[in-house]
Amino acid sequence: MTIDALLVGTPAPFRDGDYSAIAKRPVDGVVRITWDGFEQDAVADPIHHGGWDKAIHLYPQDHYGWWRGRKPDQPLLDAPGAFGENIASRGMTEADICLGDRFSLGSAVVEVSHGRQPCWKLDHRFGARDVMTTIIKTARSGLYFRVIRQGEAESGTRMDLLDRPLPDWSIARIFQLLIGGGHKRDPDAVCALADMPLLAEAWRERARKLAA
């Protein structure tokens, strides 16, 4: 994958007293990557965002053209960061990226932990009522990394795939099973996910509940 931009944000007023760091901006130059993610990045809601399994959020720029076709007058889609991503990448999507994939990110190494489950904040950011439901229907979710090795990175470089332990488990497939309603069609797969150590704990717990 190639990196169009690396982005960071800090909590700001969002809606009705809520704060959010979803409005991220590109960083010029080198970004330091720690166990918690990008050094200059922050979250407003540490219960639902951030942490080991959600250190870095990637959203494929490959989807932006599709979104512009559906929301042609949305200025957020004119530049990276519309979905609150830390990494604006190009070259692979959730259909190509698998759970547990390890990528180089500059001198750091990151590992795919799960997809991004959309919430109401995307609808509010876009001023629309259908962004969250569209992501759920299409699995254009983006994904999260955990940091395996700290380091530094900058935009305009490549993310190389270093290891792929679970080639049958694309993020799109997992998203469709656990978020998109596909658990009813493939309960055996959901049971397998419930015991998959590389899957983020929050999604393993979701798989356990769906399998019960």
Side-chain angles (χ1 to χ4, degrees):
M1 289 185 286
T2 58
I3 302 172
D4 283 5
L6 300 176
L7 305 98
V8 299
T10 55
F14 192 63
R15 188 191 73 174
D16 298 336
D18 287 313
Y19 279 68
S20 176
I22 195 171
K24 301 186 186 300
R25 296 289 182 267
V27 176
D28 293 326
V30 172
V31 176
R32 173 71 182 160
I33 302 161
T34 72
W35 304 122
D36 295 324
F38 291 176
E39 194 171 60
Q40 303 170 51
D41 199 43
V43 298
D45 179 5
I47 294 175
H48 297 102
H49 300 284
W52 169 245
D53 285 329
K54 295 182 178 179
I56 299 171
H57 174 220
L58 176 148
Y59 197 84
Q61 297 297 286
D62 312 69
H63 294 326
Y64 270 55
W66 185 90
W67 281 106
R68 282 193 291 266
R70 282 147 185 81
K71 298 189 177 298
D73 300 322
Q74 177 50 258
L76 287 174
L77 296 168
D78 293 339
F83 298 88
E85 63 265 33
N86 297 116
I87 302 175
S89 65
R90 195 177 302 275
M92 298 175 74
T93 72
E94 300 86 351
D96 310 306
I97 299 170
C98 298
L99 176 66
D101 280 1
R102 289 192 176 186
F103 287 91
S104 62
L105 179 55
S107 59
V109 174
V110 294
E111 180 180 86
V112 177
S113 61
H114 63 317
R116 189 260 191 90
Q117 185 172 352
C119 69
W120 64 269
K121 290 182 180 179
L122 284 171
D123 282 355
H124 183 70
R125 177 160 168 76
F126 275 75
R129 297 182 179 180
D130 62 344
V131 176
M132 183 177 74
T133 56
T134 299
I135 289 173
I136 291 172
K137 290 176 181 177
T138 66
R140 288 176 167 85
S141 63
L143 56 93
Y144 285 110
F145 291 112
R146 54 177 73 98
V147 177
I148 302 301
R149 186 177 73 201
Q150 300 181 103
E152 297 179 337
E154 56 187 324
S155 62
T157 57
R158 287 167 47 98
M159 295 180 67
D160 292 321
L161 180 62
L162 305 176
D163 189 29
R164 171 161 287 176
L166 299 170
D168 295 330
W169 293 97
S170 73
I171 292 301
R173 180 190 179 195
I174 295 171
F175 185 93
Q176 288 160 350
L177 284 167
L178 299 185
I179 309 299
H183 63 283
K184 298 175 183 178
R185 296 187 298 273
D186 197 346
D188 290 342
V190 176
C191 289
L193 288 171
D195 293 321
M196 199 165 288
L198 288 177
L199 185 63
E201 174 58 31
W203 276 26
R204 269 185 283 156
E205 180 60 27
R206 183 174 181 85
R208 293 182 196 115
K209 291 178 179 178
L210 291 172

